Amino acid sequence: MLQELGIELDSTAGQMLGRQILEALTTAYGRMIFSSGFIHGDPHPGNIFILEGGKVALIDCGQVAQLFREQRLLVAEAILAASIYDGSRGMVELLANCVRKFGVTFFDGQEDEDACAASVALYLFGEKDVIFPGGYSKEEFSSKSPLRQLKSFPMELVLLGRASVLVKGVAARLGVDWSVAKKWAPLAKDAITALCSEDECRLPAWALQSAMHRDDAGASERLRFRDAARGCASLVRRWGIEKAASMLASQKKEEMSKE
């Protein structure tokens, strides 16, 4: 597409436009995952239109997945863990638990199922140069790919994975250093704050940071339904953060006591 406009991929203009396209795609899917909970599930190049100024338009909503509260929280936790993954055993176990709780299962006979499950999470959300645990390969068709060990993989995660892999692929094609996990991490933190309990600490989609959008000039950001959110956002946010932190601490304590 850039070549058709007479723009070379490795030129300054190409890099700038590439980053605008990536920012638009990443932001769009971040809003879908963490604000609306509905995901466009068929993001191949033919369904993505590049508009003026590097904006994107997604067409053909024939495949759409809904992420429910528990799924969105698991995705948020996995993205946060992937954004700070350091190869430690504790981080491997955290990623593995997120994947399994989402409903992913593996064939029997794994030497280290935690490493396999964590590698699946890193395939979806990890950095491009991350080293998978357990000697697993990032190459999809490698005999050591963790994807070959999957017994069941929920459709919601398939469609979410398509979006993540698409953004990574566009970044690689454009030669732009881009981290899906780090870009989505702030939205993931916001989702945990807003969706931390079945009956408590729930905010409407428009109150999330992921519902923010730039004005026409692109110089500032504001929340949708700003007037409605202004009166309660700061109070609910402070309470929500404290509530989420308390719940996460209790959950970790309970898991440790079971061990």
Side-chain angles (χ1 to χ4, degrees), residues 19-92:
R19 287 186 174 277
Q20 287 179 322
I21 294 170
L22 284 168
E23 187 69 45
L25 274 174
T26 306
T27 300
Y29 271 96
R31 289 174 179 171
M32 284 186 251
I33 296 166
F34 297 115
S35 287
S36 69
F38 289 91
I39 305 171
H40 183 292
D42 194 18
H44 62 76
N47 283 343
I48 302 172
F49 282 26
I50 307 301
L51 307 180
E52 184 177 354
K55 296 179 180 180
V56 298
L58 298 172
I59 66 170
D60 187 1
C61 296
Q63 293 188 53
V64 176
Q66 180 180 8
L67 292 178
F68 295 100
R69 184 190 64 87
E70 294 83 358
Q71 294 172 320
R72 291 162 72 186
L73 288 173
L74 288 172
V75 171
E77 189 173 355
I79 287 171
L80 290 173
S83 70
I84 59 171
Y85 177 74
D86 58 5
S88 66
R89 190 63 195 178
M91 197 65 73
V92 168

Side-chain angles (χ1 to χ4, degrees), residues 84-244:
I84 59 171
Y85 177 74
D86 58 5
S88 66
R89 190 63 195 178
M91 197 65 73
V92 168
E93 292 174 355
L94 176 59
L95 283 169
N97 287 336
C98 291
V99 169
R100 281 194 287 258
K101 287 178 182 177
F102 211 101
V104 177
T105 62
F106 300 87
F107 292 114
D108 295 333
Q110 304 299 318
E111 292 184 8
D112 187 347
E113 187 175 288
D114 280 352
C116 187
S119 295
V120 170
L122 292 171
Y123 176 84
L124 294 176
F125 308 120
E127 304 292 322
K128 66 177 183 179
D129 56 351
V130 68
I131 299 176
F132 287 1
Y136 286 99
S137 171
K138 291 183 287 186
E139 299 299 326
E140 182 178 354
F141 299 107
S142 168
S143 61
K144 289 293 291 179
S145 170
L147 305 183
R148 288 180 172 266
Q149 308 305 321
L150 294 172
K151 184 176 181 180
S152 64
F153 200 72
M155 181 54 64
E156 296 88 348
L157 207 53
V158 171
L159 301 187
L160 178 60
R162 286 182 184 176
S164 176
V165 171
L166 168 79
V167 173
K168 288 183 176 184
V170 171
R173 180 70 181 88
L174 296 175
V176 175
D177 188 17
W178 200 261
S179 171
V180 172
K182 285 185 170 62
K183 288 289 183 179
W184 282 345
L187 311 184
K189 291 178 183 177
D190 221 43
I192 289 175
T193 300
L195 306 171
C196 59
S197 173
E198 179 68 41
D199 300 312
E200 301 175 340
C201 193
R202 301 187 69 180
L203 296 180
W206 49 261
L208 291 177
Q209 289 291 328
S210 49
M212 295 176 73
H213 69 288
R214 294 189 179 276
D215 59 20
D216 293 338
S220 63
E221 292 186 335
R222 63 185 185 277
L223 288 176
R224 297 187 188 278
F225 303 103
R226 178 180 55 189
D227 293 338
R230 183 179 295 161
C232 64
S234 60
L235 177 63
V236 175
R237 175 178 294 279
R238 175 177 293 183
W239 175 77
I241 291 174
E242 293 175 355
K243 182 69 175 177

